[in-house]
Amino acid sequence: MATAARNTPSVSGETASASKTASSRAEKRNKRTMWTGIAFLLFVIAGLVVGAIKANQYLHDEQQMPVQVIDFSGEYQHIDITKLERLIRKAQPGSFFALDVNDVFELVESQPWVYRASVRKKWPNTLKIYLVEQQAVAKWNEDLLLNPYGDTFNDEGVEMELPRLYGPGGSEKTALEGFNSMHALMATTNMAIDELSLSERFAWQVQLENGIRLNLGRQDFIDRLQRFIDVYPLLAQQEKAVRYVDLRYDTGVAVGWNDDNATNKES
């Protein structure tokens, strides 16, 4: 019995030592597994980053994904499509994916003869552009054109036979509205407006295609133009050609003849 009591502590010590060794080995295995997992995760992340970089480079490489076709549509006569395509390719030299549609839109709409435009991409290599061309209705101060809304744009050297309108800056819409009203009234005759001038004080003067100049003043210019239409058959019967007619009178007109003699005639 005494001997058995002495052997029991020795067995317990061996068991504790074996348990400690097993625990240490398990901890080492867990660490190895953890670091292996971390290394694998880092490898996967690195692969994804490299793949993303390569994919991005591929998609933005003009040689791999070029914009091969710029397809223009719409009705236009004066827009230089060749020049416009050259400008687009110079401003957007990248690939199909790198091309910025908003930048192309702004570039296209900044061209003088483009009134409106729409731009979109079409997979895999096409840029589609729909154009609405400016409509020129009159020349403005010799160096610009007016569209039907009174907006000015550059003619880019295009020669067109149009009525000539003159006036101070900012009066484009007023001048065009006045011209349209006068033109509609003159359409009832065989006469047409060749030139219209609006002074700094907004007084109207009209040059007709037959050479007669009309001074309409600032107010009631439509009524005064109608007065000229009414009196013109009488003036046309005269032997002398009419040079100008001043209509700034309440009840009559002043007529200038080609020999520079002026006479007053009641309307």
Side-chain angles (χ1 to χ4, degrees):
M1 295 296 294
T3 303
R6 285 195 300 270
N7 291 338
T8 299
S10 175
V11 172
S12 299
E14 289 177 359
T15 302
S17 176
S19 177
K20 184 176 181 180
T21 301
S23 176
S24 176
R25 290 175 178 174
E27 183 178 354
K28 288 180 179 179
R29 284 197 302 270
N30 290 337
K31 286 183 178 181
R32 283 197 301 268
T33 301
M34 180 185 69
W35 285 113
T36 300
I38 292 174
F40 179 76
L41 178 61
L42 292 175
F43 177 79
V44 171
I45 292 174
L48 291 174
V49 170
V50 172
I53 292 174
K54 293 293 185 181
N56 184 69
Q57 290 174 345
Y58 178 84
L59 294 177
H60 287 74
D61 185 359
E62 182 185 6
Q63 303 301 320
Q64 301 293 338
M65 297 290 293
V67 178
Q68 294 182 346
V69 179
I70 299 181
D71 182 18
F72 294 97
S73 60
E75 295 184 4
Y76 46 84
Q77 180 180 0
H78 303 291
I79 299 174
D80 189 338
I81 296 301
T82 302
K83 176 183 176 182
L84 184 55
E85 179 172 349
R86 186 166 60 248
L87 289 174
I88 293 171
R89 292 191 180 279
K90 182 178 180 181
Q92 297 286 330
S95 72
F96 177 82
F97 290 95
L99 184 142
D100 191 315
V101 171
N102 292 326
D103 287 347
V104 174
F105 171 78
E106 292 178 2
L107 174 62
V108 172
E109 283 216 336
S110 70
Q111 303 308 303
W113 276 97
V114 177
Y115 177 65
R116 288 288 184 268
S118 64
V119 181
R120 64 183 179 89
K121 295 178 182 180
K122 182 179 180 181
W123 175 264
N125 57 14
T126 301
L127 183 66
K128 298 186 73 67
I129 301 176
Y130 181 80
L131 300 172
V132 178
E133 188 174 64
Q134 290 276 18
Q135 180 184 353
V137 296
K139 293 183 179 179
W140 177 252
N141 289 339
E142 295 293 350
D143 56 350
L144 295 172
L145 295 176
L146 285 177
N147 68 16
Y149 310 102
D151 302 321
T152 60
F153 62 98
N154 197 306
D155 62 6
E156 289 198 320
V158 176
E159 294 294 332
M160 304 180 69
E161 291 295 328
L162 295 170
R164 298 188 301 275
L165 276 58
Y166 301 88
S171 66
E172 295 89 347
K173 288 181 173 59
T174 300
L176 184 60
E177 289 172 359
F179 169 80
N180 288 337
S181 298
M182 296 182 200
H183 177 72
L185 186 58
M186 296 298 291
T188 62
T189 72
N190 60 354
M191 295 177 287
I193 299 173
D194 181 55
E195 182 179 306
L196 179 147
S197 298
L198 190 60
S199 72
E200 294 286 346
R201 300 183 61 209
F202 285 79
W204 300 89
Q205 189 173 91
V206 173
Q207 182 83 28
L208 301 179
E209 288 185 351
N210 60 13
I212 299 176
R213 188 175 73 251
L214 307 179
N215 194 342
L216 301 174
R218 297 174 59 188
Q219 299 176 345
D220 302 324
F221 61 90
I222 293 297
D223 292 339
R224 291 172 177 176
L225 183 60
Q226 181 62 60
R227 189 192 309 166
F228 165 75
I229 293 173
D230 294 339
V231 77
Y232 180 71
L234 177 62
L235 301 179
Q237 294 175 7
Q238 307 303 311
E239 295 181 359
K240 300 174 183 178
V242 177
R243 184 163 58 90
Y244 73 83
V245 180
D246 192 340
L247 296 129
R248 294 175 296 174
Y249 302 92
D250 293 333
T251 58
V253 298
V255 181
W257 308 95
N258 275 336
D259 61 0
D260 294 328
N261 293 323
T263 60
N264 288 330
K265 290 190 176 288
E266 293 297 326
S267 58

